Amino acid sequence: MTQHFTAPDRLTGKTGTQWWRDAVIYQVYPRSFADGNGDGMGDLEGVRSRLPHLRDLGIDAVWLSPFYASPQADAGYDVADYRAIDPMFGTLLDADALIRDAHELGLRIIVDLVPNHSSDQHEWFKRALAEGPGSPLRARYHFRPGKGDNGQLPPNDWESIFGGPAWTRTADGEWYLHLFAPEQPDLNWEHPAVADEFRSILRFWLDMGVDGFRIDVAHGLVKAPGLPDIGGADQLKLLGNDVMPFFDQEGVHAIYRSWRTILDEYDGERIAVAEAWTPTVERTAHYVRPDELHQAFNFQYLGAPWEAAALREVIDVSLAAMRPVGAPATWVLSNHDVTRHATRFANPQGLGTQLRTPGDRELGLRRARAATLLMLALPGSAYVYQGEELGLPDVTDLPDEVRQDPSFFRAAGQDGFRDGCRVPIPWTVEGTSYGFGSGGSWLPQPDSWGALSVEAQTGDPDSTLELYRRAIAARRAHPGLGAGEEVRWLDAPDGVLAFAREDFVCTVNLTGEPVRLPVPGRVVLASTQVTVEDREFNLPSDTAVWWTV
């Protein structure tokens, strides 16, 4: 068996690169990235055709959101067949070609894995329903009799993350558990067949050549024994807390230790990344101990406001939590489930939570550019969501009749405004869908999209796209960026962050006014124009600067 870190890397030829420790990983939401067949929906052929853009951006790996066979009750996170491609995205041959092309361009491929639940159209679940109570297949899910004289009440008081009870009653009277939509029944990870199936699924995709997995709802696979009631507590306030009987249970870690042994059998340092919503970064660190997963998303950083003290605290806590387990911290500003940070930060208060109004577009973009340089200067791995390199805002004025987010149509639970960050991205200045494809786009694009396109921004030294290209290139060229485990904070006025990393300094002004500071070295890159005098300079508001000392 090949041991971890000893096999030569497939892309660099070097041994023990640990490429994932300081990687820049780009999230592709396939239906909104590029349309290869002109049906208005993005697909794998479209992604494949745009891989040169990602190579030129300088990223290390591409994370693909789900493309599996699915009824699309939750945008592909309801999987009917984990070894098949949904026809809307292409075929297994398309996936194979995409993986091969990416590797030829020096890019790694990470795919989504959805192990907490399947689709209700998965063969296991369909047979479990058809065979009725007592079917062995029902033991692979959480089927239970109801409470009450006639079993008319749910088995416990759990609520779905999407709103309403977490239980649905079948025609034969039994209930099944679904922490998300009724079309997403939770799998029972106490059943050995479930564990065996997913070990097989891992091997299937590793044999296809993928470089890793992003684990959806990594904190939810194991439920507390007996599925106990919450007991009248406010579930939303407890969400992700270690007292929740369906999240962050200790049993999940045995699963990931078994997965790590599989990943370590393959060459090229294949990795797994946890989407684990936990109450603290310290709890998140449990998922990335040396014999478990490699990375975990840092949601505390994602939710931090545009405020110096808050950001410094979450950076310190994140680095301190990861250091004892030897894992890299991760940093992310946007993804397919939250408002884009160019819109979140458009609020004058710089809220880190979701924002549904356009706000001050110029302010939001200015802060987003500065936030990018701050993120890319931190030690660890950074995640970029498609279109953020173009400075795209959320589309906040989509009419109700065009919305597609399943949670938008539910009476309670999530607010259902994720469509705004999923509008197909623009590639060209003109065209029916700004280069997304020849057949329009599944969500309408704003009239302003052409001016934000890859074509419009390429070669413009002041564009957000060129800022990302320069920043990622500089991060790769300077050993003081990305790699490592700590930052050294420097004295700075209130509202300003300043830290050193080897021969590198990053200064960020998060206030609304310019600040005069001593010159720490030579400017490498700035999010807005900075004028440097002999010994001092004015750091404009909402601006980040990289320096070499």
Side-chain angles (χ1 to χ4, degrees):
M1 178 184 295
T2 302
Q3 296 299 311
H4 199 55
F5 304 144
T6 61
D9 185 274
R10 292 174 298 159
L11 300 186
T12 66
K14 299 178 181 178
T15 299
T17 62
Q18 298 191 1
W19 64 268
W20 42 274
R21 300 192 69 87
D22 60 353
V24 178
I25 299 173
Y26 186 101
Q27 182 189 358
V28 165
Y29 192 67
R31 65 175 62 207
S32 299
F33 191 67
D35 174 15
N37 63 6
D39 65 355
M41 185 69 68
D43 48 40
L44 296 184
E45 180 57 35
V47 176
R48 184 183 174 199
S49 71
R50 295 296 186 178
L51 287 175
H53 166 72
L54 302 181
R55 174 203 58 199
D56 295 344
L57 190 60
I59 56 98
D60 298 286
V62 180
W63 155 33
L64 294 163
S65 291
F67 47 67
Y68 308 108
S70 166
Q72 304 296 319
D74 186 27
Y77 284 93
D78 51 316
V79 181
D81 187 341
Y82 292 86
R83 298 178 182 83
I85 307 298
D86 195 280
M88 70 187 294
F89 296 126
T91 66
L92 276 175
L93 290 177
D94 293 322
D96 179 71
L98 171 58
I99 294 166
R100 292 175 183 273
D101 283 4
H103 287 168
E104 289 180 2
L105 293 173
L107 300 170
R108 294 172 170 85
I109 294 292
I110 296 170
V111 298
D112 239 305
L113 188 65
V114 188
N116 179 70
H117 47 262
S118 74
S119 165
D120 62 352
Q121 299 303 302
H122 190 284
E123 188 61 28
W124 282 4
F125 192 78
K126 289 194 298 182
R127 287 177 55 195
L129 285 183
E131 293 175 7
S135 166
L137 283 168
R138 290 204 174 190
R140 300 181 185 185
Y141 294 90
H142 296 278
F143 279 86
R144 296 288 188 278
K147 292 181 178 180
D149 294 339
N150 300 305
Q152 74 275 18
L153 300 176
N156 67 23
D157 61 0
W158 296 2
E159 294 182 6
S160 164
I161 306 305
F162 285 169
W167 296 89
T168 289
R169 197 177 193 186
T170 66
D172 53 49
E174 284 198 331
W175 298 74
Y176 69 86
L177 176 68
H178 53 86
L179 292 183
F180 295 88
E183 298 89 350
Q184 296 168 288
D186 277 47
L187 290 157
N188 177 15
W189 274 87
E190 300 297 326
H191 196 292
V194 174
D196 289 345
E197 171 69 356
F198 274 88
R199 283 193 288 265
S200 174
I201 292 167
L202 288 176
R203 293 186 185 282
F204 177 87
W205 288 104
L206 290 168
D207 290 341
M208 283 278 291
V210 304
D211 300 279
F213 302 90
R214 176 263 192 188
I215 313 302
D216 185 62
V217 196
H219 55 303
L221 277 58
V222 174
K223 280 68 174 175
L227 309 184
D229 284 339
I230 293 173
D234 186 334
Q235 178 169 308
L236 291 179
K237 290 182 180 179
L238 288 174
L239 184 60
N241 193 287
D242 58 359
V243 303
M244 287 295 276
F246 50 76
F247 280 158
D248 201 24
Q249 297 291 311
E250 283 300 313
V252 300
H253 300 291
I255 297 170
Y256 300 136
R257 284 191 289 273
S258 74
W259 289 9
R260 181 61 179 259
T261 62
I262 294 173
L263 292 166
D264 288 354
E265 293 173 12
Y266 286 79
D267 65 1
E269 298 183 331
R270 318 293 179 96
I271 71 166
V273 183
E275 183 214 25
W277 291 87
T278 64
T280 65
V281 181
E282 290 82 2
R283 290 291 300 180
T284 303
H286 291 181
Y287 291 78
V288 289
R289 287 174 288 200
D291 61 345
E292 293 190 40
L293 307 180
H294 298 75
Q295 294 183 355
F297 288 127
N298 189 341
F299 293 112
Q300 286 80 3
Y301 186 77
L302 174 64
W306 185 246
E307 196 272 320
L311 282 168
R312 177 167 174 169
E313 180 180 9
V314 73
I315 291 168
D316 282 342
V317 169
S318 300
L319 293 173
M322 296 299 123
R323 201 172 295 125
V325 295
T330 64
W331 317 100
V332 62
L333 293 166
S334 290
N335 65 35
H336 65 292
D337 279 334
V338 302
T339 303
R340 290 183 178 273
H341 61 283
T343 295
R344 295 201 316 272
F345 293 155
N347 182 286
Q349 284 72 45
L351 300 177
T353 54
Q354 300 208 18
L355 181 70
R356 307 285 175 325
T357 59
D360 184 333
R361 165 66 178 149
E362 182 178 353
L363 175 65
L365 180 58
R366 185 182 183 94
R367 287 174 170 174
R369 289 164 60 98
T372 295
L373 291 196
L374 169 60
M375 176 181 75
L376 291 176
L378 294 171
S381 181
Y383 283 78
V384 173
Y385 177 52
Q386 65 177 45
E388 74 172 73
E389 77 275 22
L390 305 177
L392 295 185
D394 249 48
V395 180
T396 58
D397 58 354
L398 290 170
D400 289 356
E401 58 268 22
V402 305
R403 291 193 176 276
Q404 304 288 324
D405 185 353
S407 61
F408 179 78
F409 302 98
R410 304 186 189 281
Q414 290 190 352
D415 45 50
F417 281 83
R418 296 178 295 179
D419 288 321
C421 66
R422 298 176 177 182
V423 173
I425 66 175
W427 295 93
T428 58
V429 174
E430 298 179 343
T432 57
S433 61
Y434 303 106
F436 171 69
S438 60
S441 62
W442 67 282
L443 282 172
Q445 300 160 299
D447 293 338
S448 61
W449 237 223
L452 300 176
S453 66
V454 173
E455 180 184 27
Q457 296 195 41
T458 295
D460 178 357
D462 297 324
S463 72
T464 302
L465 175 57
E466 294 297 348
L467 176 70
Y468 268 74
R469 287 171 172 168
R470 294 196 302 271
I472 294 173
R475 176 185 165 100
R476 189 185 298 273
H478 289 270
L481 289 173
E485 299 179 349
E486 60 185 28
V487 300
R488 178 167 56 87
W489 294 105
L490 306 175
D491 291 337
D494 289 344
V496 175
L497 295 177
F499 60 86
R501 307 207 52 230
E502 296 188 12
D503 62 345
F504 212 86
V505 170
C506 177
T507 54
V508 190
N509 181 4
L510 293 93
T511 74
E513 302 293 335
V515 177
R516 195 154 184 84
L517 296 171
V519 173
R522 179 179 62 83
V523 173
V524 174
L525 193 60
S527 61
T528 58
Q529 187 172 358
V530 174
T531 301
V532 178
E533 300 171 7
D534 288 340
R535 297 185 177 180
E536 292 186 328
F537 75 104
N538 278 330
L539 181 59
S541 64
D542 300 307
T543 296
V545 185
W546 288 357
W547 313 80
T548 53
V549 180

